[in-house]
Coordinates of all heavy atoms in Angstrom, one line a residue:
M654 N -14.2 26.0 -4.6 CA -14.6 24.8 -3.9 C -13.4 24.3 -3.1 O -12.3 24.2 -3.6 CB -15.0 23.8 -4.9 CG -15.5 22.5 -4.3 SD -16.1 21.5 -5.7 CE -16.5 20.1 -4.9
K655 N -13.6 24.0 -1.8 CA -12.6 23.5 -1.0 C -12.7 22.0 -0.8 O -13.7 21.5 -0.5 CB -12.7 24.2 0.4 CG -11.5 23.9 1.3 CD -11.7 24.7 2.6 CE -10.5 24.4 3.5 NZ -10.5 25.1 4.7
V656 N -11.6 21.3 -1.0 CA -11.6 19.8 -0.9 C -11.0 19.5 0.5 O -10.0 20.0 0.9 CB -10.7 19.2 -2.0 CG1 -10.6 17.7 -1.8 CG2 -11.2 19.5 -3.4
S657 N -11.7 18.6 1.1 CA -11.3 18.2 2.5 C -10.0 17.4 2.4 O -9.8 16.5 1.6 CB -12.4 17.3 3.1 OG -11.9 16.8 4.3
I658 N -9.1 17.8 3.3 CA -7.8 17.0 3.4 C -8.0 15.7 3.9 O -7.3 14.7 3.7 CB -6.8 17.8 4.2 CG1 -6.5 19.2 3.5 CG2 -5.6 17.1 4.5 CD1 -5.7 20.1 4.3
R659 N -9.1 15.5 4.7 CA -9.4 14.3 5.4 C -10.3 13.4 4.5 O -10.9 12.4 5.0 CB -10.1 14.5 6.7 CG -9.3 15.3 7.7 CD -10.0 15.3 9.1 NE -10.4 14.0 9.5 CZ -11.6 13.7 9.9 NH1 -12.6 14.5 10.0 NH2 -11.9 12.4 10.3
Y660 N -10.3 13.6 3.2 CA -11.2 12.8 2.3 C -11.0 11.3 2.5 O -12.0 10.6 2.7 CB -10.9 13.3 0.9 CG -11.7 12.5 -0.1 CD1 -13.1 12.7 -0.3 CD2 -11.1 11.6 -1.0 CE1 -13.8 12.1 -1.2 CE2 -11.9 10.9 -1.9 CZ -13.2 11.1 -2.0 OH -14.0 10.5 -2.9
H661 N -9.8 10.8 2.5 CA -9.6 9.4 2.6 C -9.9 8.9 4.0 O -10.4 7.8 4.1 CB -8.1 9.0 2.2 CG -7.9 9.3 0.8 ND1 -8.4 8.5 -0.2 CD2 -7.1 10.2 0.1 CE1 -8.0 8.9 -1.4 NE2 -7.2 10.0 -1.2
E662 N -9.7 9.7 5.0 CA -10.1 9.3 6.3 C -11.6 9.2 6.5 O -12.1 8.3 7.1 CB -9.5 10.3 7.4 CG -8.0 10.2 7.5 CD -7.5 11.4 8.4 OE1 -8.2 11.9 9.2 OE2 -6.3 11.7 8.2
I663 N -12.3 10.1 5.9 CA -13.7 10.1 5.9 C -14.3 8.9 5.2 O -15.2 8.3 5.7 CB -14.3 11.5 5.3 CG1 -13.9 12.6 6.2 CG2 -15.8 11.4 5.1 CD1 -14.1 14.0 5.6
L664 N -13.7 8.6 4.0 CA -14.1 7.4 3.3 C -13.9 6.1 4.1 O -14.8 5.2 4.2 CB -13.4 7.3 2.0 CG -13.8 8.2 0.9 CD1 -12.8 8.0 -0.3 CD2 -15.2 7.9 0.4
E665 N -12.8 6.1 4.8 CA -12.5 4.9 5.6 C -13.5 4.8 6.8 O -14.0 3.7 7.1 CB -11.0 5.0 6.2 CG -10.6 3.8 6.9 CD -9.1 3.9 7.3 OE1 -8.4 4.7 6.7 OE2 -8.8 3.2 8.3
E666 N -13.8 5.9 7.5 CA -14.7 5.9 8.6 C -16.1 5.5 8.1 O -16.8 4.7 8.8 CB -14.8 7.3 9.2 CG -13.6 7.7 10.0 CD -13.6 9.2 10.4 OE1 -14.6 9.8 10.3 OE2 -12.5 9.6 10.9
F667 N -16.5 6.0 6.9 CA -17.8 5.6 6.4 C -17.9 4.1 6.1 O -18.9 3.4 6.4 CB -18.1 6.4 5.1 CG -19.4 6.1 4.5 CD1 -20.6 6.5 5.1 CD2 -19.5 5.3 3.4 CE1 -21.8 6.1 4.5 CE2 -20.7 5.0 2.8 CZ -21.9 5.4 3.4
L668 N -16.8 3.6 5.4 CA -16.8 2.2 5.1 C -16.8 1.3 6.3 O -17.5 0.3 6.4 CB -15.6 1.9 4.2 CG -15.4 0.4 3.8 CD1 -16.6 0.0 2.9 CD2 -14.1 0.2 3.0
E669 N -16.1 1.7 7.4 CA -16.1 0.9 8.6 C -17.5 0.9 9.2 O -17.9 -0.2 9.7 CB -15.1 1.6 9.6 CG -13.6 1.3 9.3 CD -12.7 2.0 10.2 OE1 -13.1 2.9 11.0 OE2 -11.5 1.7 10.1
K670 N -18.2 2.0 9.2 CA -19.6 2.0 9.7 C -20.5 1.1 8.9 O -21.3 0.3 9.4 CB -20.1 3.4 9.7 CG -19.5 4.3 10.8 CD -20.1 5.7 10.7 CE -19.4 6.6 11.8 NZ -19.9 7.9 11.7
E671 N -20.3 1.1 7.5 CA -21.1 0.3 6.6 C -20.8 -1.2 6.9 O -21.7 -2.0 6.9 CB -20.8 0.7 5.2 CG -21.7 0.0 4.2 CD -21.5 0.5 2.8 OE1 -21.0 1.6 2.6 OE2 -21.9 -0.3 1.9
L672 N -19.5 -1.5 7.1 CA -19.2 -2.9 7.3 C -19.6 -3.4 8.7 O -20.0 -4.6 8.8 CB -17.7 -3.1 7.1 CG -17.1 -2.8 5.7 CD1 -15.6 -2.9 5.7 CD2 -17.8 -3.8 4.7
D673 N -19.6 -2.5 9.7 CA -20.2 -2.9 11.0 C -21.7 -3.2 10.8 O -22.2 -4.2 11.4 CB -20.0 -1.8 12.0 CG -18.6 -1.7 12.5 OD1 -17.8 -2.6 12.3 OD2 -18.2 -0.6 13.0
W674 N -22.4 -2.4 10.1 CA -23.8 -2.6 9.8 C -24.0 -4.0 9.1 O -24.9 -4.7 9.5 CB -24.4 -1.5 8.9 CG -25.7 -1.9 8.4 CD1 -26.9 -1.7 9.0 CD2 -26.0 -2.6 7.2 NE1 -27.9 -2.2 8.3 CE2 -27.4 -2.7 7.1 CE3 -25.3 -3.0 6.1 CZ2 -28.1 -3.4 6.0 CZ3 -25.9 -3.7 5.1 CH2 -27.3 -3.8 5.0
L675 N -23.1 -4.3 8.2 CA -23.2 -5.5 7.4 C -23.1 -6.7 8.4 O -23.8 -7.7 8.3 CB -22.2 -5.6 6.3 CG -22.1 -6.9 5.5 CD1 -23.4 -7.0 4.7 CD2 -20.9 -6.8 4.5
K676 N -22.1 -6.7 9.2 CA -21.8 -7.8 10.2 C -23.0 -7.9 11.1 O -23.5 -9.0 11.4 CB -20.6 -7.5 11.0 CG -19.3 -7.7 10.2 CD -18.1 -7.3 11.0 CE -16.8 -7.3 10.1 NZ -15.7 -6.9 10.9
E677 N -23.6 -6.8 11.6 CA -24.7 -6.8 12.5 C -25.9 -7.4 11.8 O -26.7 -8.2 12.4 CB -25.0 -5.4 13.0 CG -24.0 -4.9 14.0 CD -24.3 -3.5 14.4 OE1 -25.3 -2.9 14.0 OE2 -23.4 -2.9 15.1
E678 N -26.1 -7.1 10.5 CA -27.2 -7.5 9.7 C -27.2 -9.1 9.6 O -28.2 -9.7 9.7 CB -27.2 -6.8 8.4 CG -28.5 -7.0 7.6 CD -29.7 -6.3 8.3 OE1 -29.5 -5.3 9.0 OE2 -30.8 -6.6 8.0
F679 N -26.0 -9.6 9.3 CA -25.8 -11.0 9.2 C -26.1 -11.7 10.5 O -26.7 -12.8 10.6 CB -24.4 -11.4 8.7 CG -24.4 -11.5 7.2 CD1 -24.3 -10.4 6.4 CD2 -24.4 -12.8 6.6 CE1 -24.3 -10.6 5.0 CE2 -24.4 -13.0 5.3 CZ -24.3 -11.8 4.4
E680 N -25.7 -11.1 11.6 CA -26.0 -11.7 12.9 C -27.5 -11.7 13.2 O -28.0 -12.7 13.7 CB -25.3 -10.9 14.0 CG -23.8 -11.1 14.1 CD -23.1 -10.2 15.2 OE1 -23.8 -9.6 16.0 OE2 -21.9 -10.1 15.1
I681 N -28.2 -10.6 12.9 CA -29.6 -10.6 13.1 C -30.3 -11.6 12.2 O -31.2 -12.3 12.7 CB -30.2 -9.2 12.8 CG1 -29.7 -8.2 13.8 CG2 -31.7 -9.2 12.7 CD1 -29.9 -6.7 13.5
L682 N -29.9 -11.7 11.0 CA -30.6 -12.6 10.0 C -30.3 -14.1 10.2 O -31.1 -14.9 10.0 CB -30.3 -12.2 8.6 CG -30.9 -10.9 8.1 CD1 -30.3 -10.5 6.8 CD2 -32.4 -10.9 8.1
F683 N -29.0 -14.4 10.5 CA -28.6 -15.8 10.4 C -28.1 -16.4 11.7 O -27.9 -17.6 11.7 CB -27.5 -15.9 9.3 CG -28.0 -15.4 8.0 CD1 -27.5 -14.2 7.4 CD2 -29.1 -16.0 7.3 CE1 -27.9 -13.7 6.2 CE2 -29.5 -15.5 6.1 CZ -28.9 -14.4 5.6
N684 N -27.8 -15.7 12.8 CA -27.2 -16.3 14.0 C -28.2 -17.3 14.6 O -27.8 -18.3 15.1 CB -26.8 -15.2 15.0 CG -25.4 -15.0 15.0 OD1 -24.6 -15.6 14.2 ND2 -24.9 -14.1 15.9
S685 N -29.5 -16.9 14.6 CA -30.5 -17.8 15.3 C -30.8 -19.1 14.6 O -31.3 -20.0 15.2 CB -31.8 -17.0 15.4 OG -32.3 -16.7 14.2
K686 N -30.4 -19.2 13.3 CA -30.7 -20.4 12.6 C -29.7 -21.5 12.8 O -30.0 -22.7 12.5 CB -30.7 -20.0 11.1 CG -31.7 -18.9 10.8 CD -32.4 -19.1 9.6 CE -33.5 -18.0 9.5 NZ -34.2 -18.1 8.3
I687 N -28.6 -21.3 13.4 CA -27.6 -22.2 13.8 C -27.4 -23.3 12.7 O -27.6 -24.5 12.8 CB -27.9 -22.9 15.1 CG1 -28.2 -21.8 16.2 CG2 -26.8 -23.8 15.6 CD1 -28.7 -22.4 17.5
E688 N -26.9 -22.8 11.5 CA -26.6 -23.7 10.4 C -27.7 -24.4 9.8 O -27.5 -25.3 9.0 CB -25.4 -24.6 10.8 CG -24.2 -23.8 11.2 CD -23.0 -24.6 11.4 OE1 -23.0 -25.8 11.0 OE2 -22.0 -24.1 11.9
N689 N -28.9 -24.1 10.1 CA -30.1 -24.7 9.4 C -30.6 -23.8 8.4 O -31.7 -23.3 8.4 CB -31.2 -25.1 10.4 CG -30.8 -26.2 11.4 OD1 -30.1 -27.1 11.0 ND2 -31.2 -26.0 12.6
Y690 N -29.7 -23.5 7.4 CA -30.1 -22.5 6.4 C -30.9 -23.0 5.3 O -30.6 -24.1 4.8 CB -28.8 -21.9 5.9 CG -27.9 -21.3 6.9 CD1 -26.6 -21.8 7.1 CD2 -28.3 -20.3 7.8 CE1 -25.7 -21.3 8.1 CE2 -27.5 -19.8 8.8 CZ -26.2 -20.3 8.9 OH -25.4 -19.8 9.9
T691 N -31.9 -22.3 4.9 CA -32.7 -22.7 3.7 C -32.1 -22.1 2.4 O -31.1 -21.3 2.5 CB -34.1 -22.1 3.9 OG1 -34.1 -20.7 3.8 CG2 -34.8 -22.6 5.2
K692 N -32.6 -22.5 1.3 CA -32.2 -22.0 0.0 C -32.4 -20.5 0.0 O -31.6 -19.7 -0.5 CB -32.9 -22.7 -1.1 CG -32.5 -24.1 -1.4 CD -33.2 -24.7 -2.6 CE -32.8 -26.1 -2.8 NZ -33.5 -26.7 -3.9
N693 N -33.5 -20.0 0.6 CA -33.8 -18.6 0.6 C -32.8 -17.8 1.5 O -32.4 -16.7 1.1 CB -35.2 -18.3 1.1 CG -36.3 -18.7 0.1 OD1 -36.0 -18.7 -1.1 ND2 -37.5 -18.9 0.6
D694 N -32.4 -18.4 2.6 CA -31.3 -17.8 3.4 C -30.0 -17.7 2.6 O -29.4 -16.6 2.6 CB -31.0 -18.7 4.6 CG -32.2 -18.7 5.6 OD1 -33.0 -17.7 5.6 OD2 -32.3 -19.7 6.4
K695 N -29.7 -18.7 1.9 CA -28.4 -18.7 1.1 C -28.5 -17.6 0.0 O -27.6 -16.9 -0.3 CB -28.1 -20.0 0.5 CG -27.7 -21.0 1.6 CD -27.5 -22.4 1.1 CE -27.1 -23.4 2.2 NZ -26.8 -24.7 1.8
K696 N -29.7 -17.6 -0.6 CA -29.9 -16.6 -1.7 C -29.8 -15.2 -1.1 O -29.2 -14.3 -1.7 CB -31.2 -16.8 -2.4 CG -31.4 -15.8 -3.6 CD -32.7 -16.1 -4.3 CE -33.0 -15.1 -5.4 NZ -32.4 -13.9 -5.5
L697 N -30.5 -15.0 0.0 CA -30.5 -13.6 0.6 C -29.1 -13.2 1.0 O -28.7 -12.1 0.7 CB -31.4 -13.6 1.9 CG -31.5 -12.3 2.6 CD1 -32.0 -11.2 1.8 CD2 -32.3 -12.5 3.9
A698 N -28.3 -14.1 1.6 CA -26.9 -13.8 2.0 C -26.1 -13.4 0.8 O -25.4 -12.4 0.8 CB -26.3 -15.0 2.7
N699 N -26.2 -14.2 -0.3 CA -25.4 -13.9 -1.5 C -25.9 -12.6 -2.1 O -25.1 -11.8 -2.6 CB -25.5 -15.1 -2.5 CG -24.6 -16.2 -2.0 OD1 -23.4 -16.0 -1.9 ND2 -25.2 -17.3 -1.8
D700 N -27.2 -12.3 -2.1 CA -27.7 -11.1 -2.7 C -27.2 -9.9 -1.9 O -26.8 -8.9 -2.5 CB -29.2 -11.1 -2.7 CG -29.8 -12.0 -3.7 OD1 -29.1 -12.5 -4.6 OD2 -31.0 -12.3 -3.7
I701 N -27.2 -10.0 -0.6 CA -26.7 -8.9 0.3 C -25.2 -8.6 -0.1 O -24.8 -7.5 -0.3 CB -26.9 -9.2 1.8 CG1 -28.3 -9.2 2.1 CG2 -26.1 -8.2 2.6 CD1 -28.6 -9.7 3.5
L702 N -24.4 -9.7 -0.1 CA -23.0 -9.5 -0.4 C -22.8 -9.0 -1.8 O -21.9 -8.1 -2.0 CB -22.2 -10.8 -0.2 CG -22.1 -11.3 1.2 CD1 -21.2 -12.5 1.3 CD2 -21.5 -10.2 2.1
D703 N -23.5 -9.5 -2.8 CA -23.4 -8.9 -4.1 C -23.7 -7.5 -4.2 O -23.0 -6.7 -4.8 CB -24.4 -9.7 -5.1 CG -23.9 -11.1 -5.4 OD1 -22.7 -11.4 -5.1 OD2 -24.7 -11.9 -5.9
Y704 N -24.8 -7.1 -3.5 CA -25.2 -5.7 -3.4 C -24.1 -4.8 -2.8 O -23.7 -3.8 -3.4 CB -26.5 -5.5 -2.6 CG -26.9 -4.0 -2.6 CD1 -27.6 -3.5 -3.6 CD2 -26.6 -3.2 -1.5 CE1 -28.0 -2.1 -3.6 CE2 -26.9 -1.9 -1.4 CZ -27.7 -1.4 -2.5 OH -28.0 0.0 -2.4
I705 N -23.5 -5.3 -1.7 CA -22.4 -4.5 -1.1 C -21.2 -4.4 -2.0 O -20.7 -3.3 -2.1 CB -22.0 -5.2 0.3 CG1 -23.2 -5.1 1.3 CG2 -20.7 -4.6 0.8 CD1 -23.5 -3.7 1.7
L706 N -20.9 -5.5 -2.6 CA -19.7 -5.4 -3.5 C -19.9 -4.5 -4.7 O -19.0 -3.8 -5.2 CB -19.3 -6.8 -4.0 CG -18.7 -7.7 -2.9 CD1 -18.6 -9.2 -3.4 CD2 -17.4 -7.2 -2.5
E707 N -21.1 -4.5 -5.3 CA -21.4 -3.7 -6.4 C -21.6 -2.3 -6.1 O -21.4 -1.4 -7.0 CB -22.7 -4.2 -7.1 CG -22.5 -5.6 -7.8 CD -23.8 -6.2 -8.3 OE1 -24.9 -5.5 -8.2 OE2 -23.8 -7.3 -8.8
N708 N -22.0 -1.9 -4.9 CA -22.3 -0.6 -4.5 C -21.4 0.1 -3.5 O -21.7 1.2 -3.1 CB -23.8 -0.5 -4.0 CG -24.7 -0.8 -5.1 OD1 -24.9 -0.1 -6.1 ND2 -25.4 -2.0 -5.0
T709 N -20.3 -0.6 -3.2 CA -19.3 0.0 -2.3 C -18.1 0.4 -3.2 O -17.5 -0.4 -3.8 CB -18.9 -1.0 -1.2 OG1 -20.1 -1.4 -0.5 CG2 -17.9 -0.4 -0.3
Y710 N -17.9 1.7 -3.2 CA -16.8 2.2 -4.0 C -15.5 2.4 -3.1 O -15.6 3.1 -2.1 CB -17.2 3.5 -4.6 CG -18.4 3.3 -5.5 CD1 -19.6 3.8 -5.1 CD2 -18.3 2.7 -6.7 CE1 -20.8 3.6 -5.8 CE2 -19.4 2.5 -7.5 CZ -20.7 2.9 -7.1 OH -21.8 2.7 -7.8
V711 N -14.5 1.8 -3.5 CA -13.2 1.9 -2.7 C -12.2 2.7 -3.4 O -11.1 3.0 -2.8 CB -12.7 0.5 -2.3 CG1 -13.6 -0.2 -1.4 CG2 -12.4 -0.3 -3.5
Y712 N -12.5 3.2 -4.6 CA -11.6 4.2 -5.3 C -10.2 3.8 -5.4 O -9.3 4.6 -5.2 CB -11.7 5.6 -4.6 CG -13.1 6.0 -4.5 CD1 -13.8 5.9 -3.3 CD2 -13.8 6.6 -5.5 CE1 -15.1 6.3 -3.2 CE2 -15.1 7.0 -5.4 CZ -15.8 6.9 -4.3 OH -17.1 7.3 -4.2
D713 N -9.9 2.5 -5.6 CA -8.6 1.9 -5.7 C -7.7 2.3 -4.5 O -6.5 2.3 -4.6 CB -7.9 2.4 -7.0 CG -8.6 1.9 -8.3 OD1 -9.2 0.8 -8.2 OD2 -8.6 2.6 -9.3
N714 N -8.3 2.4 -3.4 CA -7.6 2.7 -2.2 C -7.3 1.4 -1.5 O -8.3 0.7 -1.1 CB -8.4 3.6 -1.3 CG -7.7 4.0 0.0 OD1 -7.0 3.3 0.6 ND2 -8.0 5.3 0.4
I715 N -6.1 1.0 -1.3 CA -5.7 -0.3 -0.8 C -6.2 -0.5 0.7 O -6.6 -1.6 1.0 CB -4.2 -0.5 -0.9 CG1 -3.9 -2.0 -0.6 CG2 -3.4 0.3 0.1 CD1 -4.3 -2.9 -1.7
I716 N -6.3 0.6 1.4 CA -6.8 0.5 2.8 C -8.3 0.1 2.8 O -8.7 -0.8 3.5 CB -6.6 1.8 3.6 CG1 -5.0 2.1 3.7 CG2 -7.3 1.8 4.9 CD1 -4.7 3.4 4.3
L717 N -9.0 0.8 1.9 CA -10.5 0.5 1.8 C -10.7 -0.9 1.3 O -11.6 -1.7 1.7 CB -11.2 1.5 1.0 CG -11.1 2.9 1.5 CD1 -11.8 3.9 0.5 CD2 -11.6 3.1 2.9
I718 N -9.9 -1.3 0.3 CA -10.0 -2.7 -0.3 C -9.7 -3.7 0.8 O -10.5 -4.7 0.9 CB -9.0 -2.8 -1.5 CG1 -9.5 -2.0 -2.6 CG2 -9.0 -4.3 -1.9 CD1 -8.5 -1.8 -3.8
N719 N -8.7 -3.5 1.6 CA -8.4 -4.4 2.7 C -9.5 -4.5 3.7 O -9.8 -5.6 4.2 CB -7.0 -4.1 3.3 CG -5.9 -4.4 2.5 OD1 -6.0 -5.3 1.6 ND2 -4.7 -3.8 2.7
L720 N -10.0 -3.4 4.1 CA -11.2 -3.4 5.1 C -12.3 -4.2 4.5 O -12.9 -5.0 5.3 CB -11.6 -1.9 5.3 CG -10.8 -1.1 6.3 CD1 -11.3 0.3 6.3 CD2 -10.8 -1.7 7.7
L721 N -12.7 -4.0 3.3 CA -13.8 -4.7 2.7 C -13.5 -6.2 2.6 O -14.3 -7.0 3.0 CB -14.1 -4.1 1.3 CG -15.2 -4.7 0.5 CD1 -16.5 -4.5 1.3 CD2 -15.3 -4.1 -0.9
N722 N -12.3 -6.5 2.2 CA -11.9 -7.9 2.1 C -11.9 -8.6 3.5 O -12.4 -9.7 3.6 CB -10.5 -8.0 1.5 CG -10.1 -9.4 1.2 OD1 -10.9 -10.2 0.7 ND2 -8.9 -9.8 1.5
Q723 N -11.4 -7.9 4.5 CA -11.4 -8.5 5.9 C -12.8 -8.8 6.4 O -13.1 -9.8 7.0 CB -10.6 -7.6 6.8 CG -9.1 -7.6 6.6 CD -8.4 -6.5 7.4 OE1 -9.1 -5.7 8.1 NE2 -7.1 -6.4 7.3
A724 N -13.7 -7.8 6.1 CA -15.1 -8.0 6.6 C -15.8 -9.1 5.9 O -16.4 -9.9 6.5 CB -15.8 -6.7 6.4
L725 N -15.6 -9.2 4.6 CA -16.2 -10.3 3.9 C -15.6 -11.7 4.3 O -16.4 -12.7 4.4 CB -16.0 -10.1 2.3 CG -16.8 -8.9 1.8 CD1 -16.5 -8.7 0.3 CD2 -18.2 -8.9 2.1
E726 N -14.3 -11.8 4.5 CA -13.7 -13.0 4.9 C -14.2 -13.4 6.3 O -14.5 -14.6 6.6 CB -12.2 -12.9 4.9 CG -11.6 -13.0 3.6 CD -10.1 -12.8 3.6 OE1 -9.5 -12.6 4.7 OE2 -9.4 -12.9 2.5
S727 N -14.4 -12.4 7.2 CA -14.9 -12.7 8.5 C -16.3 -13.2 8.5 O -16.6 -14.2 9.2 CB -14.9 -11.4 9.3 OG -15.6 -11.5 10.5
I728 N -17.2 -12.7 7.6 CA -18.5 -13.2 7.5 C -18.5 -14.6 6.9 O -19.3 -15.4 7.4 CB -19.4 -12.2 6.6 CG1 -19.6 -10.9 7.3 CG2 -20.7 -12.8 6.1 CD1 -20.2 -9.8 6.5
E729 N -17.7 -14.8 5.9 CA -17.7 -16.1 5.2 C -17.2 -17.2 6.2 O -17.6 -18.3 6.1 CB -16.9 -16.1 4.0 CG -17.6 -15.3 2.8 CD -16.7 -15.1 1.6 OE1 -15.5 -15.5 1.6 OE2 -17.3 -14.7 0.6
K730 N -16.2 -16.8 7.1 CA -15.7 -17.8 8.0 C -16.7 -18.1 9.1 O -16.9 -19.3 9.6 CB -14.4 -17.3 8.7 CG -13.2 -17.4 7.8 CD -12.0 -16.8 8.5 CE -10.8 -16.8 7.5 NZ -9.6 -16.2 8.2
K731 N -17.5 -17.1 9.5 CA -18.5 -17.3 10.6 C -19.7 -18.1 10.1 O -20.3 -18.8 10.9 CB -18.9 -15.9 11.1 CG -19.8 -16.0 12.3 CD -20.0 -14.6 12.9 CE -20.8 -14.7 14.2 NZ -21.0 -13.4 14.9
Y732 N -20.0 -17.9 8.9 CA -21.2 -18.5 8.3 C -20.8 -19.4 7.1 O -21.3 -19.3 6.0 CB -22.2 -17.5 7.8 CG -22.6 -16.5 8.9 CD1 -22.0 -15.3 9.0 CD2 -23.6 -16.9 9.9 CE1 -22.4 -14.4 10.0 CE2 -23.9 -16.0 10.9 CZ -23.3 -14.7 10.9 OH -23.7 -13.9 11.9
V733 N -20.0 -20.4 7.4 CA -19.4 -21.3 6.4 C -20.5 -22.0 5.6 O -20.4 -22.0 4.4 CB -18.5 -22.3 7.0 CG1 -18.0 -23.3 6.0 CG2 -17.3 -21.6 7.7
N734 N -21.5 -22.6 6.2 CA -22.5 -23.3 5.5 C -23.5 -22.5 4.8 O -24.4 -23.0 4.1 CB -23.2 -24.2 6.5 CG -22.3 -25.3 7.1 OD1 -21.4 -25.7 6.4 ND2 -22.5 -25.7 8.3
L735 N -23.4 -21.2 5.0 CA -24.3 -20.3 4.3 C -23.9 -20.0 2.9 O -24.7 -19.6 2.0 CB -24.4 -19.0 5.1 CG -25.5 -18.0 4.7 CD1 -26.9 -18.6 4.8 CD2 -25.5 -16.8 5.7
F736 N -22.7 -20.2 2.6 CA -22.2 -19.9 1.2 C -21.8 -21.1 0.5 O -21.4 -22.1 1.0 CB -21.0 -18.9 1.3 CG -21.4 -17.6 1.9 CD1 -21.1 -17.4 3.3 CD2 -22.1 -16.7 1.2 CE1 -21.5 -16.2 3.9 CE2 -22.5 -15.5 1.8 CZ -22.2 -15.3 3.1

């Protein structure tokens, strides 16, 4: 069995794509509401973030942890009243 030397690079690329999807998803779901968020919106947003945090494996890689952290902070800053 041959192990890819680019393993960590591949993980980083995959995580970047997943985080781009996450940001786009939040834009689609919540941009049009302009801070008139319902309880269901807030629950949905938290459920999405919980799911991402529980199912995204960063394998103790500091680069991946930082990417995930930056994306989540960006979302939380953009949608302050949602959380």
Side-chain angles (χ1 to χ4, degrees):
M654 182 175 178
K655 187 175 181 178
V656 177
S657 174
I658 296 173
R659 295 189 54 229
Y660 177 71
H661 292 289
E662 292 173 20
I663 293 168
L664 284 176
E665 186 176 338
E666 290 171 10
F667 178 76
L668 181 60
E669 286 174 349
K670 288 179 184 177
E671 187 173 337
L672 294 174
D673 286 341
W674 168 86
L675 179 64
K676 290 176 187 177
E677 289 173 10
E678 195 68 21
F679 267 79
E680 287 177 14
I681 291 168
L682 291 171
F683 304 113
N684 260 1
S685 64
K686 302 218 175 178
I687 310 172
E688 299 186 13
N689 294 324
Y690 305 119
T691 65
K692 287 182 182 181
N693 285 337
D694 291 335
K695 293 178 180 185
K696 181 179 179 342
L697 178 61
N699 283 300
D700 287 347
I701 291 170
L702 291 184
D703 287 345
Y704 179 83
I705 292 295
L706 289 171
E707 290 172 4
N708 294 292
T709 301
Y710 302 105
V711 292
Y712 305 98
D713 295 328
N714 183 325
I715 194 70
I716 295 170
L717 299 181
I718 292 169
N719 286 337
L720 281 174
L721 183 60
N722 189 41
Q723 289 171 357
L725 295 178
E726 284 179 357
S727 170
I728 289 170
E729 289 176 352
K730 284 180 185 176
K731 188 170 183 177
Y732 304 99
V733 175
N734 294 329
L735 192 56
F736 299 100

